[in-house]
Amino acid sequence: MSDGPGQRASRGQFVRAIPRHGVPLRITIDGHAVEAVEGDSLLAVLLLNGRAVRHLEFGGAPRAGFCLMGACQDCWVSLGDGERVRACTTLAVSDMIVWTDHQKAGAND
């Protein structure tokens, strides 16, 4: 995943401190296949694979979530079917499609 316009993919913001055991999942984020483990939140998957969850609609500043518990509204992403969800309270599901840019999500309907 890219960290923003003109930037190449980098190491994730999060690092697993302890390996998780569980069913491996494959999801697609912004057109890129990534791996997750059953029980991972979308926020965890996004930040294990990149440095931002999304970019602010007003000015493009990178956002990485804030409260991590569903209260702050900072981690909204779109699913492949157009549904908007909070990444911190939504569990990854096998074959899930996630868009971090709501405009790009609408262009892929």
Side-chain angles (χ1 to χ4, degrees):
M1 286 177 11
S2 173
D3 290 334
Q7 296 178 344
R8 65 175 207 253
S10 63
R11 299 174 102 186
Q13 182 81 357
F14 284 1
V15 176
R16 287 195 197 276
I18 299 171
R20 292 210 35 191
H21 302 288
V23 176
L25 307 174
R26 194 157 196 70
I27 69 171
T28 303
I29 299 174
D30 295 335
H32 302 282
V34 298
E35 293 182 7
V37 176
E38 185 176 47
D40 282 347
S41 69
L42 287 180
L43 183 69
V45 177
L46 287 160
L47 293 178
L48 283 165
N49 289 281
R51 303 209 43 93
V53 171
R54 65 183 188 91
H55 289 83
L56 192 61
E57 295 86 349
F58 312 102
R63 308 301 299 167
F66 181 73
C67 72
L68 308 180
M69 62 180 190
C72 74
Q73 313 288 318
D74 200 39
C75 65
W76 286 102
V77 295
S78 294
L79 300 182
D81 63 4
E83 179 183 5
R84 289 186 64 186
V85 298
R86 289 182 186 100
C88 67
T89 59
T90 303
L91 296 180
V93 176
S94 190
D95 300 322
M96 182 179 263
I97 297 172
V98 179
W99 293 97
T100 59
D101 182 324
H102 302 300
Q103 291 177 340
K104 286 183 183 177
N108 290 289
D109 289 342

